[in-house]
Amino acid sequence: MLLNRVEKLLMNNPVREAAQRHVEARRLLRMGGAMSGGKALEVGCGRGVGTELILDVFGADRVEAFDLDIDMVRRAQARLADRGAVVKLWEGDATAIDSPDENYDAAFDFGIIHHIPDWRAALGAVFRVLKPGARFYAEEVLARFIHNSLWRRVLDHPMDDRFSHDQFRDALEEAGFELVQTQDVWGQFAWFVADKPD
Ligand SMILES: C[S@@+](CC[C@H](N)C(=O)[O-])C[C@H]1O[C@@H](n2cnc3c(N)ncnc32)[C@H](O)[C@@H]1O
């Protein structure tokens, strides 16, 4: 589901970038460690800050990333133009990832899967494109936040079948992942690192 105007403003500004860089990436790095090179996928890359972090902080050699919103893809293309062939960007849907099976050494979700009505399908799609032994890093927004009356007034999210920390954790396991570490922050946000078994 595309972001509304308010959320687009909340995503495309220096405060969001600082939070992603100094809070979210650091927490995921503490939980799951860095990559030893290799090729990563970012689902729902927005304007491309996550892709930068996957290269510069997590240590991927190459990142392929997509977003449902062509305007976000264009922003990411402009931001990452100087990275050359190390980055590939396209318009796409996380429930039907345009990639062969077992293609990536890691995948990253910086707060996008809660925007997807059939979010379990997105977990299955991520699982499919990861190589055996590859790692999935996810930062997510939980049902309690999405259903809060204030946020409902200003943001647009799918409302049915949103997930708690435990529901997302269980769905990861149902998709085939083995959990490495999870964290629930005030029942509003959650963090997950999980591996595709070898
Ligand atoms: C809350 S924003 C996060 C953007 C970026 N990851 C960040 O952290 O700044 C959610 C993003 O997910 C994208 N999105 C929503 N549904 C999607 C889907 N089914 N497949 C891929 N991207 C999707 C939106 O267009 C938006 O850019």
Side-chain angles (χ1 to χ4, degrees):
M1 180 171 178
L2 297 182
L3 306 186
N4 70 6
R5 208 154 44 90
V6 174
E7 194 169 2
K8 228 164 180 176
L9 286 172
L10 290 175
M11 286 299 112
N12 295 324
N13 70 73
V15 177
R16 164 71 193 142
E17 176 173 346
Q20 197 171 355
R21 189 173 292 279
H22 300 297
V23 181
E24 297 177 10
R26 283 189 190 174
R27 188 185 283 251
L28 285 175
L29 192 61
R30 278 199 304 275
M31 290 171 66
M35 297 175 63
S36 46
K39 182 168 68 167
L41 174 72
E42 185 186 5
V43 297
C45 58
R47 66 174 178 148
V49 175
T51 295
E52 264 176 14
L53 295 171
I54 296 164
L55 288 167
D56 300 342
V57 176
F58 288 86
D61 292 326
R62 175 174 169 78
V63 180
E64 299 188 358
F66 62 88
D67 198 284
L68 191 64
D69 184 344
I70 188 63
D71 171 55
M72 289 298 218
V73 175
R74 290 194 182 117
R75 288 172 193 253
Q77 282 167 337
R79 182 180 190 95
L80 297 160
D82 62 345
R83 303 291 181 134
V86 163
V87 172
K88 176 183 167 191
L89 297 163
W90 72 95
E91 180 186 5
D93 183 342
T95 62
I97 300 173
D98 186 8
S99 159
D101 295 354
E102 302 188 354
N103 191 23
Y104 296 103
D105 301 291
F108 290 80
D109 153 27
F110 287 103
I112 89 117
I113 287 181
H114 66 284
H115 273 278
I116 302 178
D118 189 355
W119 56 275
R120 290 180 182 82
L123 294 184
V126 170
F127 187 84
R128 177 184 69 75
V129 301
L130 285 176
K131 295 177 185 170
R135 184 153 282 186
F136 181 37
Y137 302 78
E139 171 267 305
E140 268 307 330
V141 179
L142 302 178
R144 190 181 296 176
F145 179 95
I146 289 170
H147 291 146
N148 174 283
S149 57
L150 168 65
W151 294 120
R152 281 181 81 129
R153 243 173 268 149
V154 289
L155 304 177
D156 258 350
H157 289 112
M159 284 293 149
D160 293 337
D161 188 30
R162 296 305 85 194
F163 46 81
S164 65
H165 163 277
D166 290 3
Q167 286 167 323
F168 196 87
R169 178 200 61 200
D170 293 350
L172 282 168
E173 290 188 317
E174 278 156 29
F177 286 102
E178 285 175 354
L179 297 165
V180 175
Q181 206 185 128
T182 74
Q183 291 179 9
D184 182 334
V185 182
W186 314 312
Q188 312 266 333
F189 308 99
W191 309 75
F192 304 88
V193 175
D195 287 345
K196 179 167 179 169
D198 261 322

